[in-house]
Amino acid sequence: VMNANNMYVKRNKTGEISGYAQWTKPLQRFDKNSKDLYPFAKNRIAHVTINKIPNNPYGIGIIYPNERIIENLVKNEQDLQILISRKAGQPYHFKVGQPGTNVSPSVVDAIKTKLQYLTKTTEWVTDGDIDIKTIDFGNIGKNLTEPQLYFFKQFIAGTGIPEVLFGSGQLNEGIAKVQLAGYKQRVKSYQNQIAHIIE
């Protein structure tokens, strides 16, 4: 089994496949007359084209059409982890001084410095010039997990892999059986396609 990235289809002017070639050097140095270009006859290569589109002899496969969704899943997972680590505890907002009065910047900086080293202290004692509130960002978990579920559904639809195989646990037995039966038929169609090409 060869790396398909190094295999190229040779076609004539009408688009019919005349053979195959293997080129292992950088593509920028491609030379059809080079001794490093290894030719293969049509009957020596079993060329399986999945999701073939017009005027493309290779087929785009299963992963490539879903590449954007996979990237979104991974990126959203990373962003989710970052936000959870940063917003695990609600941040404080300290309002210093009375409205309409100017507070010395040194006082504001002193309080800011103390907040940078918060401990597990749960009680706070201040004078009447300091108002402490927490900043509420809403339901962060729901806001982040809903897009992740959306991308997951898109990935399932794009690849055709049954949700039951991911252990989702949200499907009734009837739907799960239908999904598995359809998936087995799809796999069987690939097997028949490969067998026909080899024959």
Side-chain angles (χ1 to χ4, degrees):
V1 178
M2 300 177 184
N3 186 348
N5 293 335
N6 298 326
M7 300 301 300
Y8 297 92
V9 177
K10 297 173 65 176
R11 297 194 296 173
N12 58 25
K13 292 182 179 180
T14 61
E16 294 180 0
I17 296 177
S18 59
Y20 301 90
Q22 182 182 24
W23 176 261
T24 59
K25 306 292 183 180
L27 189 59
Q28 295 80 1
R29 292 162 47 191
F30 177 79
D31 181 6
K32 63 180 180 179
N33 298 318
S34 173
K35 294 181 180 179
D36 294 324
L37 185 65
Y38 302 100
F40 291 86
K42 287 196 297 183
N43 62 351
R44 297 190 63 200
I45 294 289
H47 184 197
V48 181
T49 54
I50 296 176
N51 284 341
K52 187 175 181 180
I53 59 178
N55 202 31
N56 185 324
Y58 297 97
I60 59 176
I62 300 172
I63 300 299
Y64 179 75
N66 297 283
E67 184 178 5
R68 184 65 179 270
I69 295 298
I70 295 171
E71 289 176 353
N72 289 341
L73 274 167
V74 175
K75 183 73 168 57
N76 198 62
E77 184 73 24
Q78 293 172 340
D79 293 343
L80 176 64
Q81 198 62 37
I82 291 173
L83 285 174
I84 287 178
S85 63
R86 290 180 179 176
K87 307 301 180 188
Q90 288 182 320
Y92 292 107
H93 176 227
F94 277 60
K95 187 184 294 184
V96 182
Q98 295 297 322
T101 61
N102 291 327
V103 179
S104 171
S106 61
V107 174
V108 176
D109 291 339
I111 295 175
K112 180 180 177 182
T113 302
K114 291 180 180 179
L115 291 176
Q116 292 175 351
Y117 301 97
L118 283 176
T119 63
K120 296 180 180 179
T121 303
T122 55
E123 292 81 18
W124 291 80
V125 179
T126 66
D127 60 21
D129 290 338
I130 297 180
D131 182 21
I132 304 175
K133 291 182 179 179
T134 58
I135 301 177
D136 187 8
F137 288 96
N139 192 340
I140 294 181
K142 184 178 180 180
N143 295 338
L144 294 173
T145 55
E146 283 189 355
Q148 193 73 342
L149 181 60
Y150 168 78
F151 292 138
F152 175 64
K153 295 284 188 182
Q154 292 294 309
F155 176 76
I156 290 174
T159 59
I161 300 174
E163 185 175 355
V164 66
L165 292 182
F166 288 101
S168 175
Q170 299 175 357
L171 302 174
N172 61 49
E173 188 176 355
I175 294 177
K177 287 182 177 179
V178 171
Q179 285 188 351
L180 283 174
Y183 188 62
K184 288 179 179 179
Q185 290 177 354
R186 185 181 182 188
V187 172
K188 187 66 177 177
S189 70
Y190 289 144
Q191 292 173 338
N192 292 336
Q193 180 182 353
I194 295 170
H196 175 72
I197 292 171
I198 294 175
E199 289 172 0

